[in-house]
Amino acid sequence: MLIDNHGRNINYLRLAVTDSCNLRCFYCMPENGIKYVNRKDLLTFEEMERLVRVFSELGVSKLRITGGEPFVRKGIMEFLEKASSIQKLEEINITTNGTFTADKVGELERLGIKSINLSLDSLDKKRFFDITRRDEFDNVMKTFDQLLQSTIKVKINMVVMDGRNIDDLLPMVELTKNKQVDVRFIEEMPFNGTEGQGNATIWPASKILSHIEQKYDLEKIVDPPNSTSTNYQPVGHTGNIGIIAAYTRSFCGSCNRIRLTPQGILRTCLYSNLGVNFRDLMRDGASDLEVGDQLKR
Ligand code: SAM
Ligand code: SF4
């Protein structure tokens, strides 16, 4: 097991397979002028597979694929096929915007992908466009329908933003009534995009909760270990809801994560700019043992 010097068991790797994306969610990416990383500076899928395998030998048992948008990178399905055969890896989960995913759901199911977090900030086509600046709502909904028909567990991630999607809060809870879907409401973090400042202070988790409680009876349910969300069961609903206080609360005490950027930099904390470059280590010829030792360090 990988136990860090705060006694936390680090068993969860979040792997960003690309920095590119086909959407321009205003809280995440600027509309124009994005400087994507040069291809040669990105980890190759072979390098990613090697890191996941070495890390899994040391105790990383959960992998989340994220980005950018994972499905914009060519070769992602072949990579998932290989990753799914890494023996010590117990689960693979994916976070996606769902725009390219509908026709891949069957294959993802076959590969044993455990869960997919679908980012969907609005159930209204126009509001979706205003937030993402792209006309992809119908494709995302197609993915949602496919996922509901599959064995893959599906969660919706909705970033809550004043003046943008507050009217979606209650319809999102309603979605959990008869559908096998969980919804996670996320406070907006102010550091990603260029325009998204201050929404979490206007809509903190406490306010999101009281807004929902005006219409729904919520029962507190036990939060899974290392959960970043505080979870509730709307009485009589099939799915549950959770609120992620990404900005107003700290999860550090129960954090079990490490993150790999598309360039292969390993970060032990979302809020840190420090990191260790595993890409250069591998390209300089490090053995698996040396890669593993670096992770332990
Ligand atoms: N493109 C994929 C997607 O949108 O699901 C995966 C990458 S995206 C960066 C992962 C998640 O981070 C999404 O659910 C997105 O809504 C969330 N996110 C991005 N910027 C955020 C911010 N400033 N505050 C809160 N959540 C954010
Ligand atoms: Fe793309 Fe995801 Fe960022 Fe939206 S949140 S711009 S879909 S990476």
Side-chain angles (χ1 to χ4, degrees), residues 11-44:
N11 62 1
Y12 182 15
L13 171 66
R14 293 178 69 97
L15 173 63
V17 296
T18 178
D19 60 330
S20 302
C21 187
N22 57 323
L23 300 189
R24 289 291 178 275
C25 305
F26 79 96
Y27 52 76
C28 178
M29 294 213 179
E31 167 103 72
N32 299 303
I34 301 171
K35 285 203 188 87
Y36 286 130
V37 176
N38 282 331
R39 204 177 168 73
K40 66 175 177 36
D41 294 328
L42 293 173
L43 283 179
T44 63

Side-chain angles (χ1 to χ4, degrees), residues 80 128 167 175 189 250 295:
L80 288 172
F128 177 93
D167 288 350
L175 210 58
M189 293 180 280
S250 144
L295 176 66

Side-chain angles (χ1 to χ4, degrees), residues 132-291:
T132 65
R133 300 186 279 216
R134 295 292 183 271
D135 184 17
E136 291 284 351
F137 180 77
D138 294 340
N139 286 329
V140 181
M141 292 313 283
K142 242 183 248 166
T143 296
F144 182 43
D145 286 342
Q146 292 294 320
L147 285 170
L148 287 175
Q149 290 170 43
S150 77
T151 53
I152 301 173
K153 195 169 159 41
V154 54
K155 268 187 208 170
I156 288 179
N157 281 351
M158 170 183 161
V159 179
V160 178
M161 295 162 282
D162 192 55
R164 297 273 185 168
N165 61 359
I166 300 309
D167 288 350
D168 285 289
L169 280 170
L170 300 179
M172 282 285 184
V173 180
E174 194 61 25
L175 210 58
T176 65
K177 187 162 190 180
N178 299 313
K179 292 188 183 7
Q180 198 61 256
V181 60
D182 299 337
V183 177
R184 296 290 174 264
F185 301 100
I186 308 176
E187 285 178 350
E188 184 190 342
M189 293 180 280
F191 54 72
N192 272 347
T194 51
E195 297 163 41
Q197 302 291 323
N199 276 308
T201 51
I202 306 172
W203 279 90
S206 53
K207 187 166 161 189
I208 297 171
L209 179 64
S210 49
H211 184 84
I212 294 171
E213 279 179 323
Q214 283 174 23
K215 175 158 180 200
Y216 293 96
D217 285 337
L218 301 180
E219 269 171 15
K220 181 77 194 76
I221 51 178
V222 178
D223 300 325
N226 311 111
S227 170
T228 51
S229 55
T230 307
N231 301 297
Y232 304 87
Q233 181 69 59
V235 174
H237 285 212
T238 311
N240 62 46
I241 65 161
I243 303 176
I244 303 183
Y247 185 67
T248 60
R249 209 195 93 191
S250 144
F251 319 103
C252 304
S254 61
C255 182
N256 62 342
R257 295 148 190 233
I258 46 177
R259 296 162 190 271
L260 261 177
T261 70
Q263 299 99 309
I265 296 170
L266 185 108
R267 297 225 162 95
T268 55
C269 179
L270 178 63
Y271 290 94
S272 170
N273 288 326
L274 299 175
V276 175
N277 191 324
F278 276 79
R279 179 199 63 204
D280 290 351
L281 190 70
M282 288 189 291
R283 291 185 189 175
D284 287 344
S287 66
D288 284 357
L289 200 67
E290 286 164 330
V291 170

